[in-house]
Amino acid sequence: MGKFPTANKSFGQHFLNSPTVIKKITSPLPEGCDAIIEVGPGPAVLTPHLAEYKKPIFVIEMDERFVEILAPVVGAENIFRQDALEFDWKNFLETKKFKSIWLVSNLPYNVSVPLTLAFLRIPEITQMTLMYQKEVAQKILPNDLRNAMGSLHVLMQTQFDLSHVVYAPPGAFIPPPKVDSQVLNFKRKALPLIPLKDIDVFEVYLRLMFANRRKQLGGILRKEWGAEKTISSMQEAGLSMEIRAEALTLNQVLKLYEISSRYSLKP
């Protein structure tokens, strides 16, 4: 790879420098994709590979140093110089009319979760290939689900089919971070397990359930719902009051949510 500029720590920059990892991230093109958006492209490491697909491609980049590098690849008019968390998706989609966007990013680790939760809420983003700090990636897609259930995993599973793409050690970046990284792929479900219009309420429910995921779930819910409704809800879901949230299955989490919604039990 070519020489990189000095990384800006305030943007959490670590420039990918591994041809193997780059190839894994940028191929293949998802079926039915009608546009590509790259968040935080930096010095155009992934961008030329994505541009080879000859699809409309747009980039969201805060660092003005990279505009001259990116412009010949995607066109100056397709560069959005702003914070991805503040990107106006509504205006962009009303203007461009895309229906199936592939979003690709070596995410800044300090805002990777807020960005992921923002992308989840855009139904036109039908596929994502995203780089995370490995510790965060394991919260989204644990290698071992035994006693590993958490709110981020459940939330993403309701909207996407998740899969591992590749691990990236510190040496795959310039400068090398102090942690390992992992790339995940997200393919939006044709039929989400929770309607997207209800995702805000569901997220609040998950925060209640998993705030103390190693404590007995019955005790946590009793403080919010009262003893009688908690006991009846847990019994209907076939759950012991002593079970810990981390030991639940996805189906059990969804079942208890359905029961709580029917009883109008608000977190």
Side-chain angles (χ1 to χ4, degrees), residues 2 36 39 44 58 65 73 97 118 146 182 184 186 189-190 195 210 263 266:
I36 301 169
V39 173
F58 305 85
R65 296 178 299 166
V73 183
K97 310 296 185 184
R146 290 175 297 179
Q182 183 177 358
L184 300 179
F186 303 74
K189 296 177 186 291
F210 290 102
Y263 289 165
K266 301 298 183 183

Side-chain angles (χ1 to χ4, degrees), residues 130-233:
L130 305 177
M131 173 92 74
Y132 296 90
Q133 180 178 337
K134 186 179 177 182
E135 181 181 355
V136 174
Q138 287 297 304
K139 292 180 180 179
I140 298 173
L141 184 62
N143 288 339
D144 185 351
L145 279 175
R146 290 175 297 179
N147 295 325
M149 190 62 67
S151 59
L152 198 53
H153 173 67
V154 173
L155 193 64
M156 301 311 293
Q157 285 273 61
T158 66
Q159 307 300 314
F160 295 96
D161 294 321
L162 311 177
S163 59
H164 164 75
V165 177
V166 66
Y167 293 113
F173 301 87
I174 296 177
K178 296 179 180 179
V179 296
D180 289 326
S181 302
Q182 183 177 358
V183 180
L184 300 179
N185 192 68
F186 303 74
K187 183 178 181 180
R188 194 172 291 273
K189 296 177 186 291
L191 294 174
L193 303 181
I194 297 291
L196 197 55
K197 66 180 180 62
D198 298 332
I199 206 68
D200 290 345
V201 173
F202 184 64
E203 186 177 5
V204 173
Y205 160 81
L206 292 178
R207 287 177 181 171
L208 166 65
M209 178 172 287
F210 290 102
N212 295 285
R213 66 192 191 95
R214 292 185 174 87
K215 291 187 176 181
Q216 293 182 356
L217 185 57
I220 294 172
L221 297 181
R222 184 160 40 202
K223 293 178 182 178
E224 298 290 331
W225 297 351
E228 182 179 346
K229 289 184 177 180
T230 297
I231 292 170
S232 62
S233 297

